[in-house]
């Protein structure tokens, strides 16, 4: 989920990024908590949005205020030479679990293709940081990263589906994603799936693809997500898609996919682990 603030003279967004915001009114922590509470969701991973630039301040503040509800997969500059040293101490920031990269647009997409981000994968692996990465059409390259860095935990965001496509066309590259399942250090995040459906709830045209992803990755490497502010449907509908509509999932599978597996993958301790 995203939280963000307004573009103001004291907190400027990068030039030309405003069009990417999911809505014109920023989403704050209190509104997000209301949405979670109404749906019965206990925790959420906050992902600072790209349109604010490489800043994590609001998400980290939310995690500090509500440590049992929020944690952060933060953004880091991939062009700042100081970032390597920052990664080594990344999790010393309260509430910070790992890194989230968006590689769907140039210049970072081109830099990834040219191998200019190789330093990052090595540094994240050395620091033991899980990485969420959105890189549609680039699953083969992610496979090379997974092969070269077997201790690096990679999570493929949004099943690597192109952000503006829906229906059959959006799943054209699904075989390349499924091929990543052979690497035990790769997981798939099934987030924002209603955005890729041409039907209303229960989004029957994405069920078959989800079944294939489940068969490839299994319940312990398949993570539910929402991208709530981008959804074309009520938040609850994106939950019930997984908890009620996918007949191939057992009750135990649902527990893993709806949070249990992600807690382990990100080393996000439960309340019992904190007090035990």
């Amino acid at each position: 989920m995203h939280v963000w603030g307004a573009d103001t003279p004291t907190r400027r967004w990068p030039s030309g990024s405003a069009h990417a915001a999911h809505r014109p009114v920023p989403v704050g922590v209190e509104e997000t908590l209301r949405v979670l509470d109404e749906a019965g969701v206990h925790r959420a991973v906050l992902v600072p949005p790209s349109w604010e630039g490489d800043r994590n301040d609001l998400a980290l503040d939310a995690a500090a205020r509500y440590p049992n509800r929020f944690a952060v997969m933060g953004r880091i500059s991939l062009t700042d030479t100081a970032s390597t040293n920052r990664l080594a101490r990344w999790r010393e920031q309260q509430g910070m679990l790992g890194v989230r990269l968006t590689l769907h647009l140039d210049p970072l997409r081109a830099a990834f293709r040219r191998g200019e981000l190789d330093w990052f994968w090595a540094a994240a692996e050395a620091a033991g940081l899980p990485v969420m990465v959105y890189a549609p059409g680039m699953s083969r390259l992610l496979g090379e990263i997974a092969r070269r860095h077997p201790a690096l935990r990679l999570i493929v965001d949004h099943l690597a589906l192109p952000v503006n496509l829906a229906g059959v066309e959006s799943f054209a590259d699904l075989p390349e994603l499924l091929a990543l399942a052979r690497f035990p250090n790769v997981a798939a995040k099934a987030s924002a799936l209603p955005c890729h459906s041409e039907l209303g709830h229960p989004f029957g045209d994405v069920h078959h693809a989800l079944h294939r992803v489940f068969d490839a990755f299994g319940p312990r490497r398949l993570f539910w997500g929402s991208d709530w502010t981008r959804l074309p449907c009520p938040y609850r509908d994106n939950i019930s898609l997984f908890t009620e509509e996918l007949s191939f999932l057992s009750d135990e599978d649902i527990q893993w996919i709806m949070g249990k597996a992600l807690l382990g993958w990100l080393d996000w301790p439960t309340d019992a682990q904190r007090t035990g």
Side-chain angles (χ1 to χ4, degrees):
M1 304 180 83
H2 300 303
V3 296
W4 69 91
D7 181 7
T8 67
T10 57
R11 195 174 181 278
R12 282 294 185 196
W13 296 0
S15 177
S17 69
H19 72 282
H22 289 172
R23 70 182 205 187
V25 178
V27 174
V29 175
E30 303 308 325
E31 180 182 359
T32 303
L33 283 171
R34 287 196 300 272
V35 170
L36 294 175
D37 290 343
E38 289 170 1
V41 175
H42 303 118
R43 295 185 179 206
V45 176
L46 297 180
V47 180
S50 58
W51 53 85
E52 283 202 316
D54 295 320
R55 61 168 80 236
N56 303 307
D57 53 336
L58 296 184
L60 286 173
D61 178 70
R65 291 167 56 196
Y66 302 99
N68 294 327
R69 304 299 301 275
F70 298 121
V72 182
M73 292 293 285
R75 301 183 65 85
I76 192 167
S77 173
L78 296 177
T79 58
D80 185 348
T81 56
S83 291
T84 301
N85 295 330
R86 292 181 64 200
L87 286 173
R89 306 184 64 178
W90 195 245
R91 284 190 66 135
E92 294 179 12
Q93 303 171 88
Q94 183 180 356
M96 187 70 84
L97 299 179
V99 179
R100 202 282 178 121
L101 304 183
T102 47
L103 305 180
H104 62 303
L105 298 174
D106 288 332
L108 291 181
R109 184 178 180 85
F112 180 32
R113 290 189 181 279
R114 292 192 297 263
E116 294 172 6
L117 306 186
D118 287 353
W119 67 269
F120 169 80
W121 311 114
E125 181 183 37
L129 296 174
V131 177
M132 291 179 174
V133 55
Y134 180 53
M138 306 177 82
S139 292
R140 290 184 183 179
L141 284 177
L142 287 179
E144 280 299 302
I145 300 303
R147 182 186 61 80
R148 296 205 310 263
H149 302 281
L152 177 63
R153 286 166 287 168
L154 289 171
I155 302 170
V156 182
D157 276 353
H158 306 324
L159 301 185
L161 303 179
V163 67
N164 293 321
L165 297 182
V168 174
E169 188 179 5
S170 63
F171 293 97
D173 293 331
L174 186 63
E176 294 185 7
L177 171 72
L178 300 180
L180 292 177
R182 71 185 186 275
F183 299 106
N185 56 324
V186 177
K189 193 206 306 179
S191 42
L193 265 295
C195 297
H196 301 283
S197 173
E198 294 181 322
L199 305 175
H201 185 268
F203 318 110
D205 54 345
V206 307
H207 291 197
H208 178 66
L210 275 173
H211 199 166
R212 293 179 66 190
V213 175
F214 172 77
D215 285 346
F217 286 91
R220 302 191 185 204
R221 289 193 293 143
L222 176 59
F223 311 140
W224 171 80
S226 70
D227 207 2
W228 160 57
T229 48
R230 186 161 66 95
L231 289 177
C233 64
Y235 183 59
R236 285 179 178 272
D237 286 354
N238 191 44
I239 297 172
S240 65
L241 167 62
F242 287 79
T243 60
E244 300 175 18
E245 305 297 341
L246 302 179
S247 60
F248 53 87
L249 297 182
S250 69
D251 289 344
E252 183 178 2
D253 293 335
I254 291 171
Q255 289 182 19
W256 283 105
I257 293 169
M258 298 302 292
K260 185 177 178 180
L262 185 64
L263 291 176
W265 196 273
L266 299 182
D267 297 324
W268 189 1
T270 64
D271 296 343
Q273 289 170 327
R274 284 195 181 99
T275 58

